[in-house]
C-alpha cells in the first residue's frame, strides 16, 4: 500500500514496508519505521492459523496494509501483512509505543474522536477494538460481517461504527453495543471501497464504490440523499484510454472545514472536486475536474486546506493544489513540497514502479457467467441434430418402402 496523510505538521508516507514521517515546517530528521526490522511475533502468541486461506504469519512480507492518524495528530497506527499492529506517539518526538498482533490481515482502521480507541477491520469481516490508552492490552472483537470489510469509520460524536463490505452493504452500528444495528445504507451495485463523514456535517456520510458512484447519505436513517455517477461527469473530458478503464473510487477526502470534497479513482489521472452545499438539505455539487500529469496514488488535505497528491512519477512524485478564486491551482514552487520530496525520494526510488500501480480492487469485482446463452445454444444444436437424424431416418424408411413396392411389382409381372 502506498498512501499519504497528515499528522499535525508531519507528512506521513507509507511505501512497501516503511512508514516515513517528514516535518513540513521545521528542519527535523525524518522518522522511518521499517516493518521488516521490527519485532517478530512471539511463538506463544495466539494466532488463527486458518485465517487468510490457511496462511500463517511466517508467510507475511511485512508490507504495510493500512494506517491511521488520530484527530489531534498525536497518534499514528499502522498494520502490516505479518499481522503487526504498531502504535506511535509523534509529539513532542516520534516513539513506538507498542507492537500488538491482530488475528487476521487488516484492510482499514480508524481512531475514535476521543482517541482512546482504535478500530481495526479485517479481511474476514470482523472489527476489533484496541485501546490507545492501554497500549499493551489485547484487542476485543466488536462486531462482524459475513463478507470482507473494505472500510471502517466512526461518527464525529463516537456514537456509531460505520462499516462497508465487499457485498455492497454499509452498516451503521452503535459503538457501545454493536449488535444493535441503527441502519443500513443500501444502493451500491459493487463493493464499497471508501467511507467519509465530512467535517462540519456530522449527520452525513459519503461513500464510494467499484460501481463508479459517490453517494451521500443521512446515515442514522439510512436515507440516500444523492448519487453521482463519476463516469457521466468525466465523459466529456476523459481520454480514450481512461474511458476504457473501470471507475473505482479508492479515496474520498475532505478539507478541514468540510467545504471541499476530493474524490480519487484508481488508475485514472484525474481528481474530481465537489462542494458540499449546506443550504437546506446537504447536496454534493460538482466543482472542478483536475487533470494530473501522472496517475495519482493517494491524496490528502493538510491543515490549511491544501490538497497533496502523491503520483506515480520518479521525477515529481508529489504536488500540492490550493483553492484560489474559485479554482484549484498547482503550487509548483512550494518550499514545503520541495522539502518533503527531497526527503521522500530515497525511499520512493527503491519501490518498483509495477508495485505502485497494482490494482487493489480488480479481484473484488463480481464475475458474472452467462450460462443461459450457452444453454440455449446447446439446446438449439441438439434440436437441429435430432431433426437431422429424423430426416435421415425418414429418407431411409422411404427408400426401403420404395424398394419393397418395386420388388412386389416385378413379382406380379413375372407371374
Amino acid at each position: 500500500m502506498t498512501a499519504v496523510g497528515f499528522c499535525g505538521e508531519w507528512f506521513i508516507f507509507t511505501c512497501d514496508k516503511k512508514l516515513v514521517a517528514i516535518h513540513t515546517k521545521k528542519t527535523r530528521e525524518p522518522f522511518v519505521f521499517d516493518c521488516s526490522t521490527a519485532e517478530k511475533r512471539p511463538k506463544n502468541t495466539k494466532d488463527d492459523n486458518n485465517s487468510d486461506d490457511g496462511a500463517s504469519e511466517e508467510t507475511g512480507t511485512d508490507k504495510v496494509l493500512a494506517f491511521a492518524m488520530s484527530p489531534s495528530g498525536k497518534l499514528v497506527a499502522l498494520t502490516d501483512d505479518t499481522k503487526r499492529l504498531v502504535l506511535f506517539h509523534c509529539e513532542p518526538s516520534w516513539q513506538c509505543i507498542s507492537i500488538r498482533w491482530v488475528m487476521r490481515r487488516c484492510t482499514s482502521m480508524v481512531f475514535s474522536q476521543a482517541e482512546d480507541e482504535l478500530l481495526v477491520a479485517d479481511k474476514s469481516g470482523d472489527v476489533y477494538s484496541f485501546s490507545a490508552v492501554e497500549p499493551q492490552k489485547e484487542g476485543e472483537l466488536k462486531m462482524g460481517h459475513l463478507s470482507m470489510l473494505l472500510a471502517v469509520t466512526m461518527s464525529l460524536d463516537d456514537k456509531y461504527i460505520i462499516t462497508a463490505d465487499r457485498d455492497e452493504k454499509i452498516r451503521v452500528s452503535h459503538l457501545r453495543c454493536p449488535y444493535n444495528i441503527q441502519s443500513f445504507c443500501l444502493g451500491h451495485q459493487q463493493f464499497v471501497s471508501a467511507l467519509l463523514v465530512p467535517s462540519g456535517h456530522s449527520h452525513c456520510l459519503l461513500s464510494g464504490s467499484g460501481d463508479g458512484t459517490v453517494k451521500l447519505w443521512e446515515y442514522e436513517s439510512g436515507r440516500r440523499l444523492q448519487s453521482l455517477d463519476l463516469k457521466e461527469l468525466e465523459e466529456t473530458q476523459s481520454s480514450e484510454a481512461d474511458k476504457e478503464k473501470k471507475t473505482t473510487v479508492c479515496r474520498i477526502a475532505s478539507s478541514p472545514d468540510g467545504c471541499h470534497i476530493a474524490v480519487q479513482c484508481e488508475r485514472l489521472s484525474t481528481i474530481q472536486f465537489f462542494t458540499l452545499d449546506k443550504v437546506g438539505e446537504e447536496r454534493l455539487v460538482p466543482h472542478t475536474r483536475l487533470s494530473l500529469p501522472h496517475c495519482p496514488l493517494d491524496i490528502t488535505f493538510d491543515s490549511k486546506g491544501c490538497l497533496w497528491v502523491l503520483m506515480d512519477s520518479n521525477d515529481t512524485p508529489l504536488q500540492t493544489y490550493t483553492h484560489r478564486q474559485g479554482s484549484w491551482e498547482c503550487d509548483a514552487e512550494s518550499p514545503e513540497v520541495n522539502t518533503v520530496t527531497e526527503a521522500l525520494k530515497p525511499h520512493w526510488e527503491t519501490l518498483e514502479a509495477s508495485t505502485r500501480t497494482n490494482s487493489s480492487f480488480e479481484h473484488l469485482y463480481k464475475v458474472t457467467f452467462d450460462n443461459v446463452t450457452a444453454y440455449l445454444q446447446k439446446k438449439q444444436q441438439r434440436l437441429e441434430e435430432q431433426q437431422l437424424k429424423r430426416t435421415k431416418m425418414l429418407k431411409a424408411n422411404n427408400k426401403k418402402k420404395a424398394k419393397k413396392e418395386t420388388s412386389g411389382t416385378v413379382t406380379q409381372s413375372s407371374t
Side-chain angles (χ1 to χ4, degrees):
M1 184 191 86
T2 304
V4 294
F6 268 93
C7 195
E9 300 296 342
W10 290 91
F11 176 82
I12 313 296
F13 162 71
T14 62
C15 176
D16 197 34
K17 303 174 184 180
K18 295 179 181 179
L19 178 141
V20 182
I22 305 162
H23 205 281
T24 58
K25 301 296 184 184
K26 300 178 182 177
T27 305
R28 297 176 66 173
E29 188 70 21
F31 173 79
V32 180
F33 182 85
D34 191 338
C35 292
S36 63
T37 61
E39 174 189 333
K40 303 300 180 184
R41 186 177 196 131
K43 291 183 179 180
N44 60 351
T45 303
K46 292 181 181 179
D47 184 25
D48 185 350
N49 290 324
N50 295 322
S51 65
D52 301 327
D53 299 325
S56 64
E57 85 281 352
E58 283 79 11
T59 62
T61 60
D62 300 315
K63 290 184 178 180
V64 178
L65 298 179
F67 82 106
M69 294 80 61
S70 66
S72 70
K74 294 179 180 179
L75 297 173
V76 175
L78 72 79
T79 181
D80 63 16
D81 75 349
T82 309
K83 303 179 187 174
R84 294 183 186 88
L85 177 64
V86 189
L87 184 64
F88 303 95
H89 196 286
C90 56
E91 289 295 346
S93 61
W94 278 85
Q95 180 184 359
C96 177
I97 301 173
S98 69
I99 297 180
R100 288 173 281 188
W101 304 92
V102 295
M103 294 296 290
R104 298 170 182 85
R105 289 176 174 85
C106 302
T107 55
S108 181
M109 53 184 15
V110 64
F111 280 97
S112 63
Q113 292 293 318
E115 301 189 7
D116 59 345
E117 191 172 6
L118 174 66
L119 297 180
V120 179
D122 64 34
K123 289 185 175 182
S124 68
D126 293 332
V127 175
Y128 282 82
S129 171
F130 288 84
S131 174
V133 179
E134 302 176 71
Q136 304 302 328
K137 186 179 179 181
E138 290 189 5
E140 299 176 357
L141 179 62
K142 273 284 186 182
M143 58 176 289
H145 281 232
L146 296 177
S147 180
M148 178 193 297
L149 286 176
L150 300 178
V152 61
T153 190
M154 295 179 68
S155 60
L156 299 181
D157 59 2
D158 284 346
K159 185 178 180 181
Y160 299 110
I161 307 173
I162 306 173
T163 47
D165 65 24
R166 185 180 181 176
D167 291 337
E168 309 106 33
K169 296 190 300 297
I170 301 171
R171 184 197 296 181
V172 182
S173 309
H174 287 262
L175 176 64
R176 299 309 166 196
C177 45
Y179 54 82
N180 186 354
I181 299 174
Q182 174 69 21
S183 66
F184 284 97
C185 300
L186 305 176
H188 282 293
Q189 301 302 310
Q190 284 286 353
F191 55 87
V192 182
S193 47
L195 294 174
L196 176 70
V197 178
S199 302
H201 303 268
S202 58
H203 62 284
C204 290
L205 172 70
L206 291 166
S207 65
S209 166
D211 61 14
T213 65
V214 173
K215 298 186 189 299
L216 178 65
W217 310 86
E218 199 288 303
Y219 61 83
E220 280 194 90
S221 64
R223 185 167 63 98
R224 187 175 68 190
L225 303 178
Q226 195 176 5
S227 179
L228 293 169
D229 191 337
L230 297 180
K231 291 179 183 177
E232 294 178 0
L233 296 176
E234 295 176 357
E235 239 174 31
T236 56
Q237 301 177 34
S238 294
S239 64
E240 289 301 320
D242 280 354
K243 286 180 181 179
E244 294 177 1
K245 296 177 183 177
K246 292 178 179 177
T247 304
T248 306
V249 178
C250 58
R251 183 71 183 268
I252 304 175
S254 77
S255 57
D257 58 7
C259 293
H260 302 287
I261 306 295
V263 178
Q264 174 198 346
C265 293
E266 188 179 54
R267 294 188 291 186
L268 295 182
S269 55
T270 58
I271 300 293
Q272 178 67 52
F273 286 98
F274 298 90
T275 56
L276 197 49
D277 193 351
K278 294 183 179 180
V279 178
E281 193 171 65
E282 273 87 354
R283 303 291 292 176
L284 272 179
V285 180
H287 184 269
T288 306
R289 184 171 175 271
L290 185 66
S291 296
L292 302 172
H294 306 282
C295 183
L297 301 178
D298 199 17
I299 59 176
T300 188
F301 281 94
D302 63 18
S303 59
K304 295 179 180 178
C306 297
L307 183 73
W308 292 59
V309 183
L310 181 69
M311 296 181 293
D312 183 26
S313 170
N314 289 326
D315 298 324
T316 56
L318 199 61
Q319 283 189 354
T320 60
Y321 294 84
T322 304
H323 188 254
R324 297 190 186 97
Q325 298 178 349
S327 63
W328 290 88
E329 300 176 2
C330 179
D331 296 322
E333 303 300 324
S334 170
E336 296 176 358
V337 174
N338 294 334
T339 299
V340 172
T341 301
E342 288 304 312
L344 179 151
K345 272 190 174 181
H347 306 284
W348 183 250
E349 291 169 355
T350 61
L351 183 64
E352 293 182 15
S354 59
T355 63
R356 296 200 293 257
T357 55
N358 284 343
S359 173
S360 302
F361 302 104
E362 189 66 35
H363 66 288
L364 299 177
Y365 278 94
K366 290 183 177 179
V367 179
T368 57
F369 298 95
D370 187 10
N371 54 1
V372 174
T373 301
Y375 165 76
L376 292 175
Q377 288 176 347
K378 288 182 179 180
K379 182 179 179 181
Q380 182 63 30
Q381 184 180 354
R382 187 169 65 251
L383 292 173
E384 289 174 357
E385 289 174 353
Q386 289 175 351
Q387 181 63 37
L388 181 62
K389 187 177 180 180
R390 281 195 291 267
T391 303
K392 287 181 178 179
M393 289 179 64
L394 184 62
K395 286 181 178 179
N397 291 335
N398 289 337
K399 283 183 179 180
K400 287 181 181 179
K401 187 176 180 181
K403 282 183 180 180
K404 284 182 180 180
E405 291 176 352
T406 303
S407 61
T409 304
V410 172
T411 303
Q412 289 177 1
S413 301
S414 60
T415 302

